[in-house]
Amino acid sequence: MKKKLVMIGNGMAGVRTIEELLKLQPDGYEITIFGNEPHPNYNRIMLSTVLQGDKSIEDIIMNDWDWYKNNGIKLYTGEAVVGIDNQKKQLLSDQGRLVDYDELIIATGSSSFILPVPGSDKQGVVGFRDIHDCEMMIKDSRKYKKAAVIGGGLLGLEAARGLLNLGMEVNVVHLMPHLMERQLDETASGMLKKELENQGMNFLLEKQTAEILGDERVTGLRFSDGSEIQADLVVMAVGIRPNVQLAKDSGIYVNRGIVVNDYMETDMPNIYAVGECAEHREIVYGLVAPLYEQGKVLAANLAGIPANPYEGTICGTQLKVSGCDLFSAGEIGDDEGTKSIKVHNEFDGIYKKIVIRDNRIAGIVLYGDTKDSNRLFRMLTKREDISGMTSVSILEANGCCGGGEAGDVAAMADDELVCGCNGVTKGTIVDAIRTNELTTVDEVGGCTNAGRSCGRCKSLISDILAYTLGDQYDTSVKKAGICGCTTLSKDEIVAEIREKGLTNVREVMNVLGWSQEEGCSKCRPAINYYLGMINFDGYKDERDSRLVNEKMHANIQKDGTYSVVPRMYGGVTTAADLKKIAEVAEKYDVPLVKMTGGQRIGLFGVNKEDLPAMWEDLGMPSGYAYGKTLRTVKTCVGEKFCRFGTQDSMGLGIELEKKFERLDTPHKVKMGVSACPRNCAESGIKDIGFVGVDGGWEIYIGGNGGTDLRAADLLDTVKTKEEAMEITGAYLQYYRETAAYLERTAPWLERMGLEHVKEVLADESMRKQLNERLDKTLERYNEPWQEAISDNGIKEKYYKVRNVTVE
Amino acid sequence: MQETMVRIKLADYDSLPVGAGQAITVNGENIVLFRISNGDVKAVENRSPHRKGGTLADALVSGKFIYCPVYDLKISLEDGKVQAPDTGEVKTYHVEVIENEVYITI
């Protein structure tokens, strides 16, 4: 019979131990895991990226439910263990469950340390430790504006950056005179503070929080010097506290953490501890790399395989805040026994300090340029003797080990860790590159998980690729193609299409040597677009190469239903059309009828097979709410009704929408027309916007109200509607011809430069040529909904769902 | 509970379009058929393996792979496996084409 292994805790360190154990001994144990949180195992160090909006919670799940199932692991989530009976070898959960064990791992992790000041139990005071904290901050940011983060360390600053991204005003309160004082010296800390202030953070240094103010919910902080600030949300990021109560109650020896030996054994037989709850040689670790090393040792111990003892880890730290490149490890201060090498380039914002003790690197601080962090960190952990090296060769990779980056990698032992987050060694990566013929950093990540957590090791992975592949690497990787099927860039593909006169997607892929014969979901829509843009005179669109929404002429929803949004030119409709929309919504039992953000009515949750019939009943053109094309032209009511309006905004809006609808563009395009500078149509954040002024129109371009908000730039002022139409045509066509597929006008304009675009559009003959090509292109479009209604082939191919019944 | 596998006729081969999936419900089981460019017909369960769910009928088809229309996962029509770096799997079905008729074993 298999032995029973039970683990209390479902976090990163514990689950990593189980993963290692499964590798060593897949069938050795019957495994049961108890997790306090309701989720499967997720990557806690990536919580800051969730808070900062770069990733969703789903993205950071490391082992999903299937993983537990596939490995035969019994998982109890949302259930806490409340007692351990060491005599009977039994556990008791808070739901009254009794579970036997032969071996028991305690991996209960740690909790945020909440300062014991009056008011710390008020609503709106959170730690920054788990998904729940993260969700609460995101929720609160929608309602409240002022946040205070207590703690100017790594976690506090990452939380503060996240809160800024969520639109809050952020005060960071720190007890010490410098930020991240455990990782950075005064100079680096000062540089970091300046950068973060530029990003919008406000710092209150040398402030000790004395009280959290408010009734039920927090309203502010009072400091020991009597001063106060307002705050509706207080994030405590002052440290972590190992979760040891259960171990303590069970009679296991606990100091700060659960005390373990070099094999992760506690003082009680058959009970082990790993991760942030464990104390090894008087150290409790709060970073992931050491916890993974512990997990490896414990897994070997449980599998009965002799392994090297765990002897502790020196930790390197980096801050996951964009715009702040910093790395720190080991000793950062100076004393009588140390010497240091420093480089401080104030012009470029670069600072490097290497602390040396007994001819060995004892500490590293890098700010602004961290590319040497891996190499220096390795010299530190290997305790390399540097007495023969000059200060320049220590700081510059090319002088070191006689061979630059590749030589540096060559000197690494196979079992040396490259990705600390995921415990991947150089040997594993080299093997994966050779066995699976990998050529990119992403592919290495796909095969080995290296580089997929914090990403710090990506440059080292790239060096390992260069070292393993030799010359092949330079040619295949440094140039990134538009997708994995090709190494050609967008410009090269467009040039080849023009030069070779290519006319269809398949031909492009054949002639240009695509690695995947029929391409992928990235290159096919792009090629289809480029072909259509170049062959403006009668290109035959390839519907099956379109992104799903464009292929179906409706937006797909996550349950496979679609939405229907009819065209409503300039946001203007009639009572008759409104009635028709209402009747259709009723007839097809549409679950949601909603005004969209672009001034029209959307019918959501429509069954795919109902789409053509609904379009027929509506008898209206498609609003292209799904397309990389002109979506809407938002208008105000303008001179016809408004007492301030100086121009006919609805008239221009409708004319623009009628002329440019259906046009394929690299990404979606939105327009706005306001009749006066009060700007009710928000024309200043549209791809192209018009603002009526006395005697004419101001034209704005490159605005974006999307993820990256960008105010539009003034392009020109014109007198007539005709001029406005002509400039719009030229602008759209120039964007169509020069942007990469899926590049919106805002980044496009920044790439091209406003002055350049102004110059092009100021040239009358250029405007004329652009408009000619555009007008030719516009001729080829048909109304897609009408087409589907009248073509049974289309209905059959795209909208039919069959049922088969078997008797 | 059904213990034996049965062979069920689903559609005429000619009626299946190339390059787009056809959703079929067989006794409550949601399946999607793809007639791929080499002429073969493949069948997989009509469910995106992404943890947020979704359907596969309107996937982009490339050779023996499809790209999930909702989350863009690349899935093999041969064994139903999601390609790295993503993970997951969908059920595949045995399909036969006999004299212009498409059969599935279920």
Side-chain angles (χ1 to χ4, degrees), chain A residues 56 58-59 61 64 442 445-447 452 506 516 518-522 524-525 544-546 548 551-552 556-560 562 608 796-798 800-806, chain B residues 8-12 15-27 37 51-55 57-63 65 67 69-72 74 84-87:
Chain A
S56 73
E58 282 76 20
D59 291 334
I61 301 273
D64 58 16
D442 282 350
C447 271
R452 293 189 79 196
R506 197 68 187 259
Q516 183 167 307
E518 292 176 35
C520 70
S521 56
K522 290 195 174 53
R524 268 178 43 192
D544 290 332
S545 291
R546 292 259 179 184
V548 61
K551 181 165 80 175
M552 303 304 291
I556 194 167
Q557 271 114 37
K558 67 181 197 182
D559 60 354
Y562 284 84
K608 176 165 92 167
E796 188 83 3
K797 177 166 177 180
Y798 295 105
K800 185 169 171 177
V801 174
R802 301 158 194 245
N803 284 299
V804 176
T805 323
V806 183
Chain B
I8 301 166
K9 187 196 156 185
L10 294 187
D12 288 344
S15 76
L16 291 180
V18 183
Q22 276 289 295
I24 296 203
T25 316
V26 186
N27 287 348
S37 53
R51 63 178 77 89
K52 285 185 183 164
T55 60
D58 303 322
L60 185 139
V61 193
S62 168
F65 295 97
Y67 291 83
V70 198
Y71 303 104
D72 205 31
K74 182 180 181 182
D86 300 301
T87 55

Side-chain angles (χ1 to χ4, degrees), chain A residues 397-586:
Chain A
N398 287 337
C400 155
C401 314
E405 288 172 350
D408 194 32
V409 170
M412 279 177 82
D414 273 354
D415 63 353
E416 224 172 282
L417 216 53
V418 173
C419 173
C421 298
N422 295 300
V424 187
T425 61
K426 174 194 164 192
T428 309
I429 293 175
V430 171
D431 276 352
I433 293 170
R434 291 203 176 122
T435 319
N436 303 306
E437 299 179 2
L438 310 180
T439 56
T440 68
V441 175
D442 282 350
E443 283 172 2
V444 172
C447 271
T448 63
N449 265 336
R452 293 189 79 196
S453 288
C454 77
R456 193 182 85 207
C457 58
K458 280 190 172 173
S459 67
L460 183 56
I461 298 172
S462 168
D463 292 348
I464 295 176
L465 272 160
Y467 155 76
T468 313
L469 298 175
D471 291 346
Q472 286 170 348
Y473 182 62
D474 286 347
T475 51
S476 64
V477 174
K478 296 253 158 96
K479 201 176 68 185
I482 61 164
C483 70
C485 304
T486 179
T487 54
L488 298 175
S489 68
K490 170 245 161 185
D491 287 339
E492 286 167 323
I493 294 166
V494 168
E496 294 275 1
I497 293 174
R498 287 188 200 277
E499 203 173 299
K500 299 197 163 80
L502 307 176
T503 56
N504 69 63
V505 176
R506 197 68 187 259
E507 189 184 22
V508 171
M509 296 190 296
N510 282 341
V511 173
L512 304 183
W514 244 236
S515 66
Q516 183 167 307
E517 205 183 336
E518 292 176 35
C520 70
S521 56
K522 290 195 174 53
C523 58
R524 268 178 43 192
I527 298 173
N528 185 49
Y529 169 78
Y530 296 134
L531 283 165
M533 178 268 291
I534 294 164
N535 303 318
F536 53 84
D537 203 357
Y539 172 68
K540 190 164 174 327
D541 183 57
E542 222 157 281
R543 187 159 178 171
D544 290 332
S545 291
R546 292 259 179 184
L547 296 170
V548 61
N549 290 345
E550 296 192 333
K551 181 165 80 175
M552 303 304 291
H553 287 291
N555 284 77
I556 194 167
Q557 271 114 37
K558 67 181 197 182
D559 60 354
T561 62
Y562 284 84
S563 53
V564 171
V565 184
R567 185 65 77 187
M568 202 175 267
Y569 297 99
V572 177
T573 184
T574 61
D577 278 353
L578 285 174
K579 263 192 222 160
K580 230 188 287 175
I581 291 173
E583 281 160 10
V584 168
E586 249 176 19

